[in-house]
Amino acid sequence: AQRVTQPEKLLSVFKGAPVELKCNYSYSGSPELFWYVQYSRQRLQLLLRHISRESIKGFTADLNKGETSFHLKKPFAQEEDSAMYYCAVTDSWGKLQFGAGTQVVVTP
Amino acid sequence: EAQVTQNPRYLITVTGKKLTVTCSQNMNHEYMSWYRQDPGLGLRQIYYSMNVEVTDKGDVPEGYKVSRKEKRNFPLILESPSPNQTSLYFCASRWDSLNTGELFFGEGSRLTVL
């Protein structure tokens, strides 16, 4: 079965420290991968997608096909990064599957 | 402003009382979808629609119905709500059904079934 796994439910980091959110997937073919973010009391929004190779708000994510991972990283966490982060994978039919989410708390 | 609008945002109801959560998008998107968000389970797809009059089940469709009579609207219907349908519901839309572009979300509808 196709799966998206985010092993950490909660990640607590200090401001200025690096943060890495793990995402592993099991999909056949060539899926497309995304990270969505949900700030407190706001709607989910796209943070980044692997095909664009952009850095958004200091976050980057590298697709590792060998390890089937798409970990999200930021070298220096800020308080405004506190949010819920979802890894998502689209299969060749366009169906988007979300992971269970990782809550990030950045403390000063 | 391009957006996905859900109503109501908050609703408390009782078991068995039919309700509808509306979803409307003004971006002329073909693809629309409903998700429920539960702690520890993330977002799970309930139903989706590839275009007008084309709908299909997602991962957790039991207890829900949808319709897509117009491109902009995709209501979620709970014919006989039960307490296990207490959840936060999100509607989302995307340009087309096979495009892997960005999914735009509504603000969410928090439903409590007593």
Side-chain angles (χ1 to χ4, degrees), chain A residues 66-105:
Chain A
E67 295 181 358
T68 59
S69 68
F70 188 54
H71 304 329
L72 183 69
K73 301 175 187 179
K74 185 169 183 177
F76 308 103
Q78 303 299 315
E79 288 180 68
E80 56 264 29
D81 296 327
S82 294
M84 190 72 163
Y85 292 80
Y86 290 97
C87 181
V89 180
T90 301
D91 63 20
S92 53
W93 298 102
K95 180 177 168 61
L96 191 65
Q97 188 89 20
F98 286 88
T102 298
Q103 180 73 48
V104 172
V105 177

Side-chain angles (χ1 to χ4, degrees), chain B residues 11-16 19 78 81-86 111-114:
Chain B
L11 179 63
I12 300 174
T13 189
V14 294
T15 298
L19 68 92
L78 285 74
S82 61
N84 64 11
Q85 292 178 298
T86 292
L111 171 65
T112 301
V113 183
L114 302 175

Side-chain angles (χ1 to χ4, degrees), chain A residues 28-81:
Chain A
S28 57
S30 298
E32 187 166 350
L33 292 109
F34 305 81
W35 277 98
Y36 280 82
V37 61
Q38 186 180 25
Y39 300 103
S40 179
R41 293 189 170 82
Q42 294 187 29
R43 66 186 76 200
L44 278 99
Q45 56 189 282
L46 180 67
L47 181 61
L48 56 81
R49 50 193 296 194
H50 89 274
I51 63 169
S52 65
R53 297 185 179 278
E54 288 179 300
S55 172
I56 307 292
K57 298 185 179 183
F59 284 97
T60 58
D62 292 320
L63 175 61
N64 186 322
K65 290 187 178 180
E67 295 181 358
T68 59
S69 68
F70 188 54
H71 304 329
L72 183 69
K73 301 175 187 179
K74 185 169 183 177
F76 308 103
Q78 303 299 315
E79 288 180 68
E80 56 264 29
D81 296 327

Side-chain angles (χ1 to χ4, degrees), chain A residues 32 36 43 86 94-95, chain B residues 37 45 94 100 103 105 107:
Chain A
E32 187 166 350
Y36 280 82
R43 66 186 76 200
Y86 290 97
K95 180 177 168 61
Chain B
Q37 183 183 41
Q45 190 179 49
R94 190 172 65 204
T100 53
L103 204 56
F105 284 86
E107 292 184 284

